[in-house]
C-alpha cells in the first residue's frame, strides 16, 4: 500500500504544479485585457481631399508632403491651356449673342425699311408689266395668232410677279411692326445660357490652381508632377482641425452607459500622461469587433464606433497611434480632468 502511494505522489505534485501555472497564466492574460470601461482604437485627424476638377496634367507642385499649409495657399497647378481656350470660345459666343439681342431690341434700321419699300415697288412694276403682257397675249390667242402654250407661260409669269408683291409687302410690314417680344425673350435666354457656360468655364479655370481650402497638414500627394489624374481623383489629402480625435470601438456591454458629451481619458503607448476628451459621436449601428481589439471574451462581441475629441494638449500628436480610452460618464466613475 505504501509503495503504491509513493508511486502516485509524483503525479499529484505534477497536477498541483499545472494548476498553479494555469492560475498564473490566467492572471497574466486578464491583466493584458482591456477593462470593462475601456475601448481600443487609433488617433485620427479630420481629413479632406482636394479633387481634380478636370483631367489635366500636373505642371507644378508648390508644397511637400508633411508641410503645414495656410488657407488659400497654392498646392499645385494643373495645365490650363485647354480650359482657357474653351473659356475664350464661350466668351466670344456671349459677345455674339449679346450683339444679336441688342439688334432685336433696337428693331430694324430705317435703311432696311427703305430697301424693303424699294423692293416692293420693283415687284409691283414687274407684276404690272407681266399682267399687261398676259392680257395682250390672251387677246391674240382668241384670234389664233399665238399658241395656247405662250398664253399659259405669260399667265404663270404674271402670277409669279403677284406672289412676289405679296411677299415683299409682308416683309415690309414685318419691318415696320418691329421685333416680336417672343424673339427678344428667346435672345435673352440664349444669352443667359452662354453667360452661364462661360462662368462655369471660368470656375473650372480657377480650380485648376489647387488651393488649400483651410489650414492644416498636407498628409499626402497621391499624384506627382507630370501625372494626369482622372476627374474627381484626389490630388491632395489634408489633415485639418484644431485637435485630433480618438476613433475607438466601444464594446456592446459598455455602450448603454456612454452618450455623446461624456468625458473620457485617452492613453497612448509611450506617454505617461493621459489626454482628456469628450465623446463627439457614437454610431447607432453596431459592427463586429476589429482585429486589434480581439482579446478574450471581446472576440464574440459587437462594438460601436465612436469618436472622442481631444483637447489642445494633443495638437502635436500624429495620426495612426494606437490607444485605449477609459470613460468617465454617468455610471463610469468621476469626471476626467
Amino acid at each position: 500500500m505504501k509503495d503504491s502511494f509513493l508511486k502516485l505522489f509524483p503525479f499529484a505534485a505534477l497536477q498541483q504544479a499545472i494548476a498553479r501555472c494555469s492560475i498564473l497564466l490566467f492572471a497574466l492574460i486578464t491583466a493584458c485585457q482591456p477593462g470593462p470601461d475601456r475601448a481600443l482604437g487609433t488617433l485620427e485627424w479630420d481629413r479632406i481631399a482636394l479633387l481634380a476638377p478636370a483631367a489635366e496634367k500636373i505642371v507644378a507642385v508648390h508644397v511637400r508632403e508633411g508641410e503645414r499649409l495656410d488657407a488659400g495657399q497654392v498646392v499645385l497647378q494643373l495645365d490650363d491651356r485647354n480650359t482657357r481656350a474653351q473659356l475664350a470660345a464661350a466668351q466670344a459666343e456671349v459677345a455674339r449673342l449679346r450683339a444679336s439681342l441688342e439688334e432685336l431690341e433696337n428693331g430694324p434700321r430705317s435703311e432696311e425699311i427703305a430697301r424693303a419699300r424699294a423692293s416692293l415697288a420693283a415687284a409691283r412694276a414687274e407684276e404690272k408689266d407681266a399682267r399687261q403682257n398676259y392680257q395682250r397675249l390672251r387677246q391674240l390667242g382668241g384670234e389664233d395668232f399665238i399658241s395656247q402654250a405662250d398664253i399659259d407661260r405669260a399667265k404663270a409669269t404674271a402670277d409669279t410677279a403677284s406672289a412676289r408683291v405679296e411677299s415683299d409687302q409682308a416683309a415690309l410690314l414685318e419691318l415696320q411692326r418691329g421685333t416680336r417680344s417672343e424673339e427678344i425673350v428667346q435672345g435673352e435666354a440664349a444669352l443667359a445660357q452662354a453667360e452661364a457656360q462661360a462662368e462655369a468655364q471660368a470656375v473650372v479655370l480657377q480650380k485648376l490652381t489647387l488651393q488649400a481650402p483651410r489650414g492644416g497638414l498636407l498628409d499626402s500627394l497621391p499624384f506627382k508632377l507630370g501625372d494626369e489624374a482622372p476627374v474627381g481623383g484626389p490630388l491632395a489629402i489634408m489633415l485639418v482641425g484644431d485637435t485630433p480625435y480618438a476613433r475607438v470601438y466601444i464594446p456592446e456591454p459598455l455602450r448603454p452607459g456612454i452618450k455623446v458629451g461624456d468625458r473620457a481619458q485617452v492613453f497612448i503607448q509611450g506617454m505617461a500622461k493621459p489626454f482628456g476628451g469628450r465623446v463627439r459621436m457614437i454610431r447607432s449601428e453596431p459592427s463586429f469587433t476589429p482585429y486589434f481589439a480581439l482579446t478574450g471574451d471581446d472576440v464574440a462581441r459587437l462594438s460601436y464606433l465612436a469618436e472622442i475629441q481631444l483637447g489642445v494638449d494633443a495638437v502635436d500628436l500624429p495620426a495612426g497611434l494606437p490607444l485605449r480610452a477609459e470613460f468617465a460618464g454617468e455610471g463610469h466613475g468621476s469626471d476626467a480632468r
Side-chain angles (χ1 to χ4, degrees):
M1 186 69 178
K2 184 177 180 180
D3 294 338
S4 299
F5 177 79
L6 292 176
K7 291 180 181 179
L8 293 175
F9 178 77
F11 180 74
L14 180 60
Q15 286 182 322
Q16 291 179 359
I18 292 175
R20 293 192 186 97
C21 291
S22 299
I23 294 174
L24 179 60
L25 180 61
F26 178 78
L28 291 175
I29 294 176
T30 303
C32 295
Q33 294 180 3
D37 291 354
R38 297 178 181 179
L40 301 179
T42 55
L43 190 70
E44 302 292 344
W45 285 83
D46 289 328
R47 294 174 180 265
I48 59 174
L50 281 64
L51 306 181
E56 298 291 352
K57 183 184 299 184
I58 299 175
V59 296
V61 179
H62 301 283
V63 294
R64 296 180 179 273
E65 293 181 350
E67 183 177 344
R68 185 162 293 278
L69 307 179
D70 298 326
Q73 183 174 348
V74 177
V75 178
L76 51 83
Q77 176 67 50
L78 299 180
D79 190 357
D80 59 1
R81 290 175 297 177
N82 182 46
T83 305
R84 286 187 182 277
Q86 294 178 356
L87 176 59
Q91 290 174 340
E93 181 67 9
V94 168
R96 186 187 70 82
L97 291 174
R98 183 176 289 115
S100 178
L101 177 60
E102 185 177 356
E103 181 182 5
L104 291 175
E105 292 174 341
N106 293 334
R109 300 172 59 179
S110 58
E111 294 83 354
E112 293 177 336
I113 297 177
R115 184 170 62 247
R117 284 175 177 168
S119 178
L120 175 59
R124 284 173 175 171
E126 290 179 2
E127 182 203 17
K128 183 179 179 180
D129 181 67
R131 191 65 61 186
Q132 291 175 349
N133 184 51
Y134 167 63
Q135 294 297 335
R136 287 192 298 268
L137 292 180
R138 190 173 66 172
Q139 292 176 359
L140 294 175
E143 299 176 0
D144 294 332
F145 289 117
I146 195 170
S147 67
Q148 185 62 37
D150 292 335
I151 297 173
D152 292 341
R153 281 194 294 270
K155 184 178 183 303
T157 302
D159 291 342
T160 301
S162 298
R164 180 185 172 188
V165 169
E166 294 178 359
S167 175
D168 288 350
Q169 283 178 337
L172 176 60
L173 183 60
E174 181 181 6
L175 292 175
Q176 290 174 336
R177 290 181 176 179
T179 306
R180 296 177 59 181
S181 60
E182 295 84 351
E183 293 177 335
I184 295 178
V185 172
Q186 292 177 2
E188 291 174 344
L191 177 60
Q193 180 181 5
E195 288 176 341
Q197 292 176 348
E199 184 177 355
Q201 288 297 327
V203 171
V204 173
L205 178 62
Q206 184 179 5
K207 287 184 177 180
L208 293 181
T209 302
L210 210 67
Q211 297 178 334
R214 54 187 294 193
L217 186 71
L218 182 61
D219 184 54
S220 65
L221 293 170
F223 296 92
K224 306 303 180 185
L225 184 65
D227 289 345
E228 184 176 310
V231 178
L235 294 175
I237 306 296
M238 291 184 61
L239 305 181
V240 298
D242 297 330
T243 58
Y245 66 93
R247 176 185 293 167
V248 298
Y249 293 85
I250 300 176
E252 186 274 334
L254 189 60
R255 175 63 184 89
I258 300 177
K259 62 182 182 298
V260 174
D262 283 352
R263 290 183 178 274
Q265 283 189 323
V266 175
F267 297 85
I268 298 177
Q269 185 176 3
M271 297 185 178
K273 182 181 178 181
F275 298 89
R278 287 185 179 273
V279 179
R280 73 176 190 181
M281 183 278 291
I282 304 178
R283 288 277 176 84
S284 59
E285 295 294 331
S287 59
F288 290 104
T289 306
Y291 71 93
F292 57 78
L294 297 179
T295 56
D297 294 337
D298 290 336
V299 173
R301 293 178 180 176
L302 295 177
S303 61
Y304 295 79
L305 178 64
E307 295 177 358
I308 303 171
Q309 189 67 54
L310 302 183
V312 294
D313 54 344
V315 69
D316 295 326
L317 296 179
L321 295 178
L323 54 84
R324 78 174 191 275
E326 297 182 1
F327 299 92
E330 295 182 3
H332 294 284
S334 60
D335 289 351
R337 299 297 180 183

